[in-house]
Amino acid sequence: MNNYPKIGIRPIIDGRLGGIRESLEETTMNMAQDVAALFQSELRYPDGSPVQCVIADTCIGGVREAADCAQKFEAENVGVSLSVTPCWCYGSETMDMNPLLPKAIWGFNGTERPGAVYLAATLAAHNQKGLPAFGIYGEDVQDMGDRFIPDDVKEKLLSFARAGLAVAIMRGKSYLAIGSVSMGIVGSIVDADFFQNYLGMRNEYVDSSEVLRRIQLNLFDQDEYERALAWTKKYCKEGEDFNQSHKVKSRAEKDNDWEFVVKMTLIIRDLMIGNKKLKDMGYAEEAHGHHALVSGFQGQRQWTDFLPNGDFSEALLNSSFDWNGKRAPFIVATENDSLNGVSMLFNYLLTNKAQIFADVRTFWSPDAVERVSGWRPTGVAQHGFIHLINSGAATLDGTGKQKYEGEPVMKPHWEISDEEVEACLAATTWHPANLDYFRGGGYSSKFLTEGGMPVTMCRLNLVKGVGPVLQLAEGWTLELPENVNKLLDERTDRTWPTTWFVPKTTGEGAFRDVYSVMAAWGSNHGAISHGHIGADLLTLAAMLRIPVCMHNVESPRIFRPSAWNAFGMDHEGADYRACASYGPLYK
């Protein structure tokens, strides 16, 4: 069973005995229990199990009870701390002082013994002591003892909890780099200081030759391999070979490539999380794996110049299913782009959904589309769109063949039906790799993402003199007329998966128009998640002290720690100043 971090809930109370505290005990503990019930019903860990909460044994009216609570939280693997109160309490005596736990306070909006007073006083203490905390306060006054959680309070509680759990789950895990730098892509120059100081993660490194060694020595579960190969032959349709005739591989060579890439998939997974079957085979060291929450595979070029590429392995591992059935996706970055891997990880931990890894390839203006195809975009695409396409390594969940009320979606793995799994597979063809790019062969996935899905694209970049910065763009997937899609898509590699993307525009700055989004994007890669999750990404970034340089999240949805208000009235500038002032979470 996974030992996931828990949410700790601290019921804070007026410590004055002799009538005041006694009158508030039940109401205060009820707040804690009601929030725990909310979290347990609404939030899930990556394996689909309900989030677990730990409530302090008693209400906290002073420093001794605060210390007892802290001791309990440490013993029970609490990774996120939420204080709740319906009344005035002693702020600095009852506050959570653990510098590593994301913290929030819900101060009940009531007039009998206003929790808002405690909220304001204790947030001031957090700010003065350099321990940023999120403040949660309902818009409407409620009656003392009212157990209803208003929608605006609920939204902030859940946003805080999702981001806080992401922070806690990352802590202590690894990024596994399989190989080294890919084609000069700077994200594959893995920055260990960033992982350690900002994410609390360690870095593990394995030369690509370890994959080849395990293939040559059969260091994988042979029974699972036979099952995986049979499943692949049944469900993974081989597509047309578009290579020049003199380069086309023989049938025997293609079959050997299929066997090779299936073995690669097993091995990359085993490198990440281990496999007890390897111990049974006499390889106890290999059985451990590298405790990796995310990994990257270099591939290009030294590997792909003479061996099958990693597209099949990356696409299947990033999907929510394989020959073993439905399961949580593994986060694997193409070309060992660790920064896009982290971007995918952020999105994944906030949603529990598979992530699309893609090149942010081309901006198509309405004029350019009309010149090439004779069709002028209308509707949501009238101002142009962006072509997201990579080398056949994107999650198959990205087909959009999972449905909710008839609309295309991407779901957590426990909500996906068997029919939806087969639909995703049926919508994907696997083409022999473009041998001009991938001299060693392999197979690249090809699909077209269905239009109309709300999605968020994000990217983490490192900037000299600033450190990490996050950028994101909420928008929608787009479906083009069939002939237009064919004309535009085949101007690049026809063996790769395509997602057409239209970001929300605001008329200002980086979101003045669609072209401006493309022009302001900070890298050649992006991580694309189902849903408009930009607000949660801003909350997560603030917890990690990573400023956001570009976003299109509406102001009322932005939720950052209270201290950010003290760094000026321009929200994005304040975000930069606050992150610089507090510095990395783990340094």
Side-chain angles (χ1 to χ4, degrees), residues 1 119-120 132 158 187 194 227 280 285 301 304 306 309 333 348 357 389 420 479-480 494 520 535 540 551 565 582:
M1 180 178 179
L119 176 65
L158 292 172
F194 162 70
R227 187 173 70 253
D280 299 337
E285 182 180 358
R301 277 195 43 205
T304 56
F306 80 112
N309 65 20
Y348 167 61
F357 183 114
I389 181 171
E420 288 169 332
E479 198 158 318
L480 301 179
R494 67 179 70 182
L540 173 59
H551 73 83
N565 296 323
Y582 288 113

Side-chain angles (χ1 to χ4, degrees), residues 335-346:
E335 295 156 353
N336 195 29
D337 184 349
S338 63
L339 298 181
N340 214 55
V342 169
S343 304
M344 294 169 71
L345 182 61
F346 286 177

Side-chain angles (χ1 to χ4, degrees), residues 213-264:
R213 179 181 81 96
R214 294 193 185 199
I215 288 176
Q216 292 178 349
L217 298 182
N218 290 319
L219 299 188
F220 50 84
D221 183 339
Q222 188 68 36
D223 291 338
E224 184 182 6
Y225 163 66
E226 297 294 343
R227 187 173 70 253
L229 184 62
W231 180 92
T232 299
K233 289 179 177 178
K234 180 177 180 180
Y235 290 108
C236 298
K237 301 180 299 183
E238 185 174 317
E240 184 177 351
D241 191 335
F242 294 109
N243 285 292
Q244 301 174 66
S245 59
H246 69 280
K247 288 188 174 183
V248 171
K249 289 191 171 188
S250 69
R251 183 68 260 167
E253 289 174 317
K254 290 179 179 179
D255 290 342
N256 286 335
D257 280 359
W258 274 120
E259 294 175 5
F260 192 98
V261 298
V262 171
K263 292 174 184 177
M264 274 182 66

Side-chain angles (χ1 to χ4, degrees), residues 123-369:
L123 288 175
H126 276 283
N127 297 347
Q128 185 168 325
K129 293 175 181 293
L131 299 169
F134 291 78
I136 300 172
Y137 179 60
E139 183 174 345
D140 297 319
V141 172
Q142 295 179 261
D143 299 328
M144 177 65 77
D146 184 356
R147 300 186 67 171
F148 175 72
I149 302 179
D151 288 344
D152 61 330
V153 171
K154 185 182 299 184
E155 182 179 346
K156 289 184 176 178
L157 286 169
L158 292 172
S159 180
F160 166 75
R162 283 191 293 264
L165 284 170
V167 171
I169 290 171
M170 283 187 283
R171 188 183 304 130
K173 304 300 192 306
S174 302
Y175 176 89
L176 172 63
I178 303 173
S180 184
V181 179
S182 175
M183 301 185 297
I185 293 172
V186 73
S188 61
I189 304 174
V190 181
D191 189 310
D193 287 342
F194 162 70
F195 278 91
Q196 178 180 327
N197 295 336
Y198 283 90
L199 308 182
M201 296 177 66
R202 69 172 68 216
N203 296 89
E204 290 285 291
Y205 308 88
V206 174
D207 191 88
S208 300
S209 62
E210 175 62 7
V211 178
L212 190 58
R213 179 181 81 96
R214 294 193 185 199
I215 288 176
Q216 292 178 349
L217 298 182
N218 290 319
L219 299 188
F220 50 84
D221 183 339
Q222 188 68 36
D223 291 338
E224 184 182 6
Y225 163 66
E226 297 294 343
R227 187 173 70 253
L229 184 62
W231 180 92
T232 299
K233 289 179 177 178
K234 180 177 180 180
Y235 290 108
C236 298
K237 301 180 299 183
E238 185 174 317
E240 184 177 351
D241 191 335
F242 294 109
N243 285 292
Q244 301 174 66
S245 59
H246 69 280
K247 288 188 174 183
V248 171
K249 289 191 171 188
S250 69
R251 183 68 260 167
E253 289 174 317
K254 290 179 179 179
D255 290 342
N256 286 335
D257 280 359
W258 274 120
E259 294 175 5
F260 192 98
V261 298
V262 171
K263 292 174 184 177
M264 274 182 66
T265 307
L266 297 173
I267 290 167
I268 292 173
R269 181 205 62 193
D270 290 352
L271 284 167
M272 289 181 69
I273 66 170
N275 188 338
K276 63 182 181 180
K277 292 289 184 67
L278 299 181
K279 183 177 181 180
D280 299 337
M281 296 166 56
Y283 297 96
E285 182 180 358
E286 289 86 345
H288 288 303
H290 291 267
H291 201 224
L293 189 60
V294 55
S295 71
F297 180 67
Q298 175 195 336
Q300 300 183 70
R301 277 195 43 205
Q302 289 77 13
W303 179 276
T304 56
D305 274 0
F306 80 112
L307 292 169
N309 65 20
D311 287 1
F312 177 84
S313 299
E314 292 164 16
L316 258 292
L317 289 167
N318 278 315
S319 298
S320 299
F321 46 83
D322 59 19
W323 41 83
N324 292 318
K326 292 166 283 187
R327 45 100 179 125
F330 297 88
I331 305 301
V332 183
T334 299
E335 295 156 353
N336 195 29
D337 184 349
S338 63
L339 298 181
N340 214 55
V342 169
S343 304
M344 294 169 71
L345 182 61
F346 286 177
N347 289 347
Y348 167 61
L349 292 176
L350 291 171
T351 64
N352 288 321
K353 299 174 183 178
Q355 300 298 312
I356 299 173
F357 183 114
D359 287 353
V360 186
R361 183 64 65 98
T362 309
F363 166 69
W364 278 99
S365 69
D367 289 344
V369 174

